[in-house]
Amino acid sequence: MAKPVTRFVCQACGAPHPKWQGRCDACGEWNTLSEETSEARGPGPAAKAGGGRRVEFVGLKGRSAPPQRILTGIAELDRVLGGGMVPASAVLVGGDPGIGKSTILLQAAARIASSGRRALYISGEEAVEQVRLRAARLGLTDSPLGLAAATSLRDIVASLEGETDVALVIIDSIQTVWLDALDSAPGTVSQVRSCAAELIRLAKARGFAIVLVGHVTKEGTLAGPRVLEHMVDATLYFEGDRGHQFRILRAVKNRYGATDEIGVFEMTERGLVEVANPSALFLAERRGNVSGSAVFAGIEGTRPVLVEVQCLLSPSSGGSPRRQVVGWDSGRLAMLLAVLETRCGLGVGMNDVYLNVAGGLRIAEPAADLAVAAALVSAATDRPTDPGAVYFGEVGLSGEVRQVSQTESRMREAQKLGFTAATLPRRVARGSAPPAAVPGLKLTETGHLADLVAIFAAKTVKKKGEGATASPAPAPTPASSSAP
């Protein structure tokens, strides 16, 4: 009989180590190694352990019907999933504690069960009575949803194998499920990998969709991210603050739909309510005639979304100026400040810079550069932007404004919400086709950030006690001097 082998596995990335050490060599995290025991394999190659069957190879050309979706009844969730749940698929849902993972999944499972399909909810963190209290608060007690509380993988697998016509199974959460064949504690990489692999195998064999709820680390990433994300078909993250009314569900991986798709929800007393028009909600509390504010026309997945970018400059109290960013990349903010100061003569280096994306949305696309630059210049010159204008465009290190994709979708969303102007990148070459005209929307093409600074620097207003000045913009560089 093979002797058990003791090794130390990183709980952040799953990398094994022969002995304990303070820092993981694979991911660089500290104090993440945990001792785990497994049985050693016998000598000889694995191919001699048993015979295999011949695999049939087919060509690339062929027809296959699209997978039949299971609609959850929640339009925003179906959008993020790519049109609904796919049978025999595995979905991983992560997010901070209390952000609404269990709430949205309980609502979706109850609606699927009410539509005539068999749905099961297995809770490993809460007792049955606790889940029933949440269902009563959400008004879901009349749904024929199957509910159970279990943490043993053997019990869960035996129960699922005894069920018939199951469409959806929810495991809340995968870190609480344990297999008695492993000596490691529940939640470790070995337990999570083994339990998730067995549940996914069973789901694909029986043809039901399975949803795994995953815990997150203090950095906001899924515990054992590479272990789980590579095993599932789709990975969804809940974003937002528990103190904020908005919740954003983002798909970072989806084998059956678009990635970076988002669904917007509002937390209410009756659970999570979908928001059909998030742009209007993000801009509902916007004040027009305030400096340091600009509206960005962005694209999240396949949906155009308008959000307000806010910027505030204040005199530095001494030492290194602060750069505080919420909802955007702090590295891109540092780059924009350097470009504005070096290429456009806008001195903001001795000021504290605070940047915020209103509404709790996190922006990742480079097209937000021009909107952030407009908010920075507006705050530095104390001149508000046009309240009826939107901005989008990528900024390069030489100050040029580069083209972005889906220009027409951004402008149509702005026109639908009542905006009258759009500042966008200049078309690439002389004689190229201009952007598609949108009725009631005035277009301003910008080839260089100096053109944007010149608009605000026409009548410079210097704040009392601040060192931020906006000198007249220098002559455009040759790359931006080509007229359309």
Side-chain angles (χ1 to χ4, degrees), residues 184-325:
S184 55
T188 58
V189 173
S190 296
Q191 287 281 4
V192 170
R193 181 194 297 116
S194 301
C195 295
E198 181 62 23
L199 290 171
I200 294 173
R201 182 202 63 79
L202 181 62
K204 293 187 179 296
R206 302 297 297 270
F208 58 80
I210 187 168
V211 179
L212 307 177
V213 179
H215 290 173
V216 295
T217 62
K218 60 183 179 180
E219 289 82 14
T221 59
L222 282 167
R226 297 299 176 262
V227 174
L228 289 175
E229 290 186 6
H230 290 312
M231 299 172 65
V232 298
D233 299 310
T235 303
L236 313 181
Y237 276 96
F238 256 112
E239 300 176 356
D241 190 358
R242 283 183 295 176
H244 206 281
Q245 62 176 339
F246 301 132
R247 302 288 191 273
I248 298 169
L249 184 63
R250 184 184 300 273
V252 297
K253 172 187 176 181
N254 195 350
R255 291 173 179 164
Y256 303 106
T259 57
D260 287 332
E261 190 71 78
I262 67 167
V264 183
F265 301 88
E266 183 179 5
M267 179 61 78
T268 65
E269 296 179 355
R270 303 287 293 180
L272 289 172
V273 178
E274 54 187 331
V275 178
N277 190 356
S279 298
L281 200 59
F282 288 146
L283 301 176
E285 301 178 5
R286 176 174 176 261
R287 299 178 59 187
N289 196 23
V290 178
S291 62
S293 172
V295 177
F296 166 57
I299 296 291
E300 294 290 342
T302 59
R303 163 191 285 173
V305 177
L306 269 60
V307 293
E308 181 184 7
V309 178
Q310 300 172 337
C311 180
L312 177 65
L313 302 181
S314 65
S316 178
S317 58
S320 300
R322 297 189 62 182
R323 303 289 186 261
Q324 194 70 31
V325 184

